[in-house]
Amino acid sequence: MHESMEASPFTQRNLKTISSYVQVLSPNREEGKLKFPDPSLLADEISHRLLQNKKQVLLTMGSTLGYIDDVRHISNYSSGMLGRTVAEELYRRGFRTTVLVGDSTYKPRVANRLIQTLENQTMLSQLNFLQQSEEFLGVLFLASVCDYVPEKRQNGKIRSHDPSLQLNLVKT
């Protein structure tokens, strides 16, 4: 339906009435219309709701970045496919999933919470905060974390023709 039809008081009243009897799944919004969700995402969401439990799982995935300057970084490579697959399967099985996502090509299509964390220290800080503030059944460390990062991040962009450029790395 068009978004204007969704805004209609009649549609809103009907949605409210229906919602008191069943769980209403969110539509896919595109081109100013509410469309039927992708079938695989719909199946994931239905499975999650049918199997839903209170158990929560925390995952890290993707790779972290060690910034050299404001435009350059070093990193371990990770496409994120393993983290995405595991996070989606846990979600499908009814677990509440919190995913700390580093730099990755693939991100989970379904999760209860996605938190972007690009640097080692940011990921570690988020991980510590979450573990202190919430209870998790388990934590899965699937991120490809940098073993070494630049000793110092240069502000701005290092000039390409700087003859004295030296990069010192520190173990993380």
Side-chain angles (χ1 to χ4, degrees):
M1 78 174 93
H2 289 273
E3 288 179 339
S4 59
M5 186 175 180
E6 177 196 28
S8 159
F10 300 108
T11 303
Q12 289 301 309
R13 187 181 73 220
N14 288 338
L15 274 172
K16 186 175 179 183
T17 301
I18 291 169
S19 297
S20 67
Y21 297 102
V22 298
Q23 291 185 27
V24 177
L25 301 177
S26 299
N28 186 18
R29 293 177 184 272
E30 54 184 66
E31 302 166 355
K33 297 177 185 171
L34 283 71
K35 297 184 176 185
F36 201 75
D38 177 86
S40 66
L41 296 177
L42 185 59
D44 289 347
E45 191 61 39
I46 291 169
S47 178
H48 176 74
R49 290 182 185 209
L50 288 174
L51 300 172
Q52 191 168 19
N53 60 52
K54 302 259 186 251
K55 295 178 180 168
Q56 186 169 217
V57 179
L58 176 61
L59 295 91
T60 66
M61 63 167 283
S63 58
T64 57
L65 309 178
Y67 284 96
I68 298 167
D69 61 18
D70 290 346
V71 297
R72 297 178 185 92
H73 66 266
I74 61 170
S75 177
N76 291 343
Y77 176 74
S78 172
S79 69
M81 183 55 85
L82 175 65
R84 173 184 171 169
T85 303
V86 171
E88 289 178 357
E89 186 61 28
L90 288 167
Y91 184 85
R92 211 174 283 124
R93 291 178 183 235
F95 290 95
R96 291 175 43 225
T97 55
T98 297
V99 185
L100 298 179
V101 182
D103 186 44
S104 65
T105 305
Y106 300 99
K107 293 177 177 59
R109 294 171 295 169
V110 290
N112 296 94
R113 190 169 33 169
L114 287 174
I115 302 169
Q116 185 76 45
T117 59
L118 293 178
E119 297 176 88
N120 285 11
Q121 196 54 48
T122 310
M123 186 175 279
L124 182 60
S125 296
Q126 277 290 340
L127 192 60
N128 288 333
F129 173 76
L130 289 167
Q131 287 184 302
Q132 290 172 8
S133 61
E134 300 176 37
E135 189 172 324
F136 294 94
L137 174 66
V139 180
L140 296 152
F141 299 100
L142 305 175
S144 178
V145 179
C146 283
D147 298 317
Y148 296 90
V149 295
E151 185 175 53
K152 177 180 130 190
R153 179 178 179 165
Q154 175 78 30
N155 288 329
K157 179 183 175 193
I158 298 172
R159 297 171 65 150
S160 299
H161 60 278
D162 186 347
S164 65
L165 180 62
Q166 183 175 348
L167 182 61
N168 294 321
L169 300 176
V170 293
K171 190 168 179 56
T172 58

